[in-house]
Amino acid sequence: MKDLLHTLLDTALATLQRDARLPALETLPNYTLERSKTRAHGDFACNVALLLAKPARMNPRALAEALVVALPAHALLARAEVAGPGFINLFLAPAAYHAELLRALAEGARYGHNAQGHGQRVGVEFVSANPTGPLHVGHGRAAAQGDCIARLLEASGWAVTREFYYNDAGAQIMNLALSVQARALGLGPDDAGWPGDGYRGEYISELARRYVACESVSANGHTITAGGDVRDIDAIRRFAVAALRHEQNLDLQAFGVRFDVYFLESSLYSDGKVEDTVRALIAHGHTYEEGGALWLRSTDFGDDKDRVMRKSDGSYTYFVPDVAYHLSKWQRGYARAITELGADHHGSLMRVKAGLQALETGIPRGYPEYVLHQMVAVMRGGEEVKLSKRAGSYVTLRDLIDEVGRDATRWFLAARKADSQLTFDIDLARARNNDNPVFYVQYAHARIASVLRQAGERGMTHDAARGTAALMRLDSATAQALQWEISRYPEVVDAAARDLEPHQIAQYLGEIAYALHTWYNAEPFLVEDADARDARLLLARATQQVLANGLGLLGVSAPEQM
């Protein structure tokens, strides 16, 4: 619909320029077409006359009136009016909504898709949890957000690669190995000799038992067999990391999340990528030495202070491998790189971008793009749940899946804007009533499926051709409101993908579900009047398709029965 209106408005602008009623301008402004807050003021409002008035040296209202007169006639545009200082309100004909309804049915699962990405490659990195324990609810929020962003981008014409970055090197991994070793030696977290920063969860005892038992574990195509020697810290580390990677993969599989690439931080060192990156930064003159350390002049690229790259002991600070990693994304052909992280990583973002710019390889200034999520509080019975028996210090993602199921877990973790605090109410997520938003939306889909089953049981064959010819019978306020919601869906998908905000889809689904339930309660579908029945069943089927498509973008099922 918006594409059609843009075409009509552009034609009107060209007509005014051709007739010399509007000066020829080198560039036309990027005007907006916005859904009107109330349909009494039209379906869309356009600000083109307000933007053009000054460069054209015309009164904005007079320009708007001229544009309205110049608008080409079209069967889907009922009329246009000038409002206020120069807004143009556009009123669509009922046939426009009928056409969109039929388009939803014709395009099926692809309805709402667009070509925003033009087939360009984009890497979406998310979760990227250290393999030091089970995934917690924060990782779950990252998984839900990242996977939904990937789905949105795929629906918007991008060639998406899902990537998981494993921090399998450094102090935390050594702490994991030392913790497992201590357990294997019979020590507990409160005993003398327990590692100062050791991990305390029950899963450490499980890893120690499995290591001593010489078990084998497979992770991402590699099998590791435990050596059983409690003195071999390297063997313990390899087994523990592989076992936890395997467990995390199972959790993500249960959550409906997959990855195309698993990238190991250790490979950046073993393949010489970190050293190559440092040498390139030095060669381009963006480093200096001071106090025995190597510094990056990151202030030249917008950072608030210069950053240490290599400490006086010869080790690299943690942002250096991050620069090397994101350089590899550019070298692997990602036109865009999107990284989903917890908000606690905010401080490192500018220095990574500064390092990439200092490499002078043509990487865009906004590369990579970051989506940051806030913390999750889990509530049950009005009280916060803080501990998992197995993890010891936090609630795991598997805990939530086991408590409320995958659908509810995905919905609740994706349905709020990522940068807002999230309270996950277990009691609400388990409720089978309209207070539970995922139940409310899924029930709308199942309700339509039930009506279609009832039609078959009553011998009412749905004649789509007859329904198409009778679409003007969808003239009640509730039926019109539902058609309006259907027509919004492609715009919502486009905006959610551009903004990297899956919660826009969840919000929209709640609104179209409300419109469906309201219509269902106001008008019977299976009436004796065949024209009215077939038209209403067409609207119901189109609504069902949109609900299924939107739920699919969130990775949530669209049940036929509830």
Side-chain angles (χ1 to χ4, degrees):
M1 286 185 176
K2 289 181 77 171
D3 290 342
L4 167 65
L5 295 177
H6 270 292
T7 298
L8 296 178
L9 286 162
D10 288 346
T11 302
L13 288 167
T15 298
L16 293 185
Q17 289 182 318
R18 184 195 65 205
D19 297 344
R21 287 182 286 166
L22 180 67
L25 302 172
E26 290 187 10
T27 58
L28 292 174
N30 291 322
Y31 61 87
T32 60
L33 273 168
E34 299 291 344
R35 292 271 179 174
S36 301
K37 292 182 180 179
T38 170
R39 294 188 67 195
H41 296 152
D43 295 283
F44 289 89
C46 180
N47 66 346
V48 62
L50 295 169
L51 296 178
L52 270 177
K54 186 173 181 180
R57 298 181 181 179
M58 294 180 67
N59 176 278
R61 188 173 176 89
L63 177 54
E65 290 170 349
L67 282 168
V68 166
V69 172
L71 275 172
H74 196 283
L76 301 186
L77 179 63
R79 68 183 191 278
E81 298 175 352
V82 179
F87 287 101
I88 298 174
N89 291 341
L90 300 151
F91 295 78
L92 295 171
Y97 292 100
H98 301 160
E100 199 66 21
L101 183 160
L102 295 174
R103 180 181 157 215
L105 289 170
E107 295 183 4
R110 290 195 60 79
Y111 180 65
H113 287 209
N114 61 75
Q116 184 189 118
H118 301 289
Q120 296 179 88
R121 292 189 63 197
V122 56
V124 182
E125 180 208 337
F126 56 107
V127 184
S128 295
N130 294 338
T132 55
L135 298 177
H136 56 60
V137 291
H139 296 135
R141 191 174 194 186
Q145 292 286 334
D147 186 57
C148 290
I149 286 170
R151 290 167 185 257
L152 280 166
L153 292 171
E154 286 172 333
S156 298
W158 291 88
V160 178
T161 299
R162 294 164 168 84
E163 191 150 326
F164 193 120
Y165 178 67
Y166 273 114
N167 296 98
D168 65 332
Q172 291 181 329
I173 298 298
M174 183 52 66
N175 286 336
L176 169 69
L178 291 171
S179 302
V180 175
Q181 183 184 52
R183 278 291 192 186
L185 291 169
L187 298 176
D190 298 323
D191 293 336
W194 185 261
D197 294 318
Y199 295 94
R200 294 169 169 261
E202 184 61 31
Y203 70 94
I204 298 295
S205 296
E206 294 175 22
L207 290 172
R209 178 190 60 75
R210 295 174 63 192
Y211 177 78
V212 171
C214 298
E215 291 188 12
S216 296
V217 63
S218 295
N220 309 122
H222 299 283
T223 299
I224 300 292
T225 299
D229 183 354
V230 296
R231 297 165 298 179
D232 190 341
I233 194 66
D234 288 335
I236 293 172
R237 174 183 55 78
R238 287 192 298 271
F239 177 79
V241 167
L244 288 171
R245 286 179 64 188
H246 176 75
E247 179 173 328
Q248 290 180 355
N249 289 344
L250 292 178
D251 288 348
L252 292 168
Q253 182 179 340
F255 202 41
V257 173
R258 64 173 178 83
F259 288 91
D260 305 300
V261 173
Y262 292 91
F263 196 104
L264 301 181
E265 179 189 4
S266 58
S267 71
L268 294 170
Y269 294 94
S270 61
D271 294 344
K273 298 292 187 182
V274 172
E275 289 291 345
D276 289 346
T277 299
V278 172
R279 279 195 292 268
L281 290 170
I282 294 172
H284 286 296
H286 296 300
T287 64
Y288 62 92
E289 293 197 28
E290 183 178 289
L294 180 67
W295 294 71
L296 174 69
R297 297 185 191 276
S298 53
T299 51
D300 291 347
F301 302 95
D303 201 359
D304 58 350
K305 62 181 180 180
D306 292 343
R307 305 290 178 173
V308 173
M309 293 173 52
R310 187 172 58 220
K311 294 180 282 188
S312 57
D313 63 4
S315 63
Y316 291 111
T317 54
Y318 65 89
F319 89 93
V320 178
D322 281 352
V323 174
Y325 171 51
H326 284 92
L327 172 62
S328 84
K329 293 182 179 181
W330 178 253
Q331 293 169 334
R332 283 182 279 146
Y334 293 158
R336 292 173 69 187
I338 297 165
T339 303
E340 209 284 350
L341 292 170
D344 56 322
H345 291 271
H346 182 270
S348 67
L349 310 187
M350 182 57 72
R351 66 198 71 170
V352 172
K353 289 187 175 184
L356 291 171
Q357 291 304 301
L359 288 169
E360 299 183 12
T361 57
I363 295 176
R365 291 188 65 85
Y367 196 101
E369 302 164 60
Y370 289 103
V371 176
L372 303 180
H373 70 263
Q374 291 288 346
M375 298 290 290
V376 181
V378 180
M379 305 291 290
R380 184 196 289 115
E383 297 182 356
E384 185 172 358
V385 181
K386 295 185 177 182
L387 301 179
S388 162
K389 178 180 179 182
R390 185 158 182 274
S393 59
Y394 54 83
V395 179
T396 69
L397 173 60
R398 183 58 72 112
D399 290 335
L400 283 188
I401 296 173
D402 290 345
E403 282 266 3
V404 305
R406 183 173 82 181
D407 283 348
T409 303
R410 286 190 65 113
W411 177 283
F412 276 76
L413 292 177
R416 288 287 302 276
K417 192 172 182 180
D419 62 3
S420 64
Q421 296 284 339
L422 173 62
T423 299
F424 192 112
D425 188 330
I426 289 176
D427 298 324
L428 178 61
R430 295 184 64 179
R432 296 184 62 80
N433 58 44
N434 290 345
D435 292 333
N436 180 348
V438 65
F439 177 90
Y440 186 71
V441 172
Q442 288 181 314
Y443 181 53
H445 184 275
R447 199 170 211 178
I448 297 169
S450 175
V451 168
L452 296 175
R453 283 196 302 273
Q454 290 176 44
E457 293 165 359
R458 293 165 61 175
M460 293 178 168
T461 302
H462 180 215
D463 188 329
R466 182 167 56 200
T468 300
L471 287 177
M472 290 299 293
R473 300 290 297 275
L474 300 174
D475 57 355
S476 68
T478 53
Q480 289 181 350
L482 184 54
Q483 293 173 75
W484 184 81
E485 289 292 353
I486 290 173
S487 74
R488 289 179 54 224
Y489 180 68
E491 300 162 30
V492 174
V493 174
D494 183 77
R498 289 182 187 278
D499 299 338
L500 306 179
E501 291 183 347
H503 76 275
Q504 294 187 35
I505 300 295
Q507 180 177 327
Y508 166 82
L509 288 172
E511 291 163 356
I512 192 172
Y514 174 81
L516 180 280
H517 291 309
T518 303
W519 178 51
Y520 180 93
N521 292 328
E523 289 188 329
F525 294 4
L526 305 181
V527 295
E528 292 302 320
D529 183 335
D531 286 351
R533 180 179 69 242
D534 287 334
R536 290 172 187 175
L537 288 178
L538 275 182
L539 177 54
R541 286 177 50 215
T543 305
Q544 185 185 41
Q545 185 67 66
V546 172
L547 285 164
N549 291 1
L551 286 166
L553 290 177
L554 298 180
V556 175
S557 69
E560 297 286 317
Q561 299 183 59
M562 292 183 71

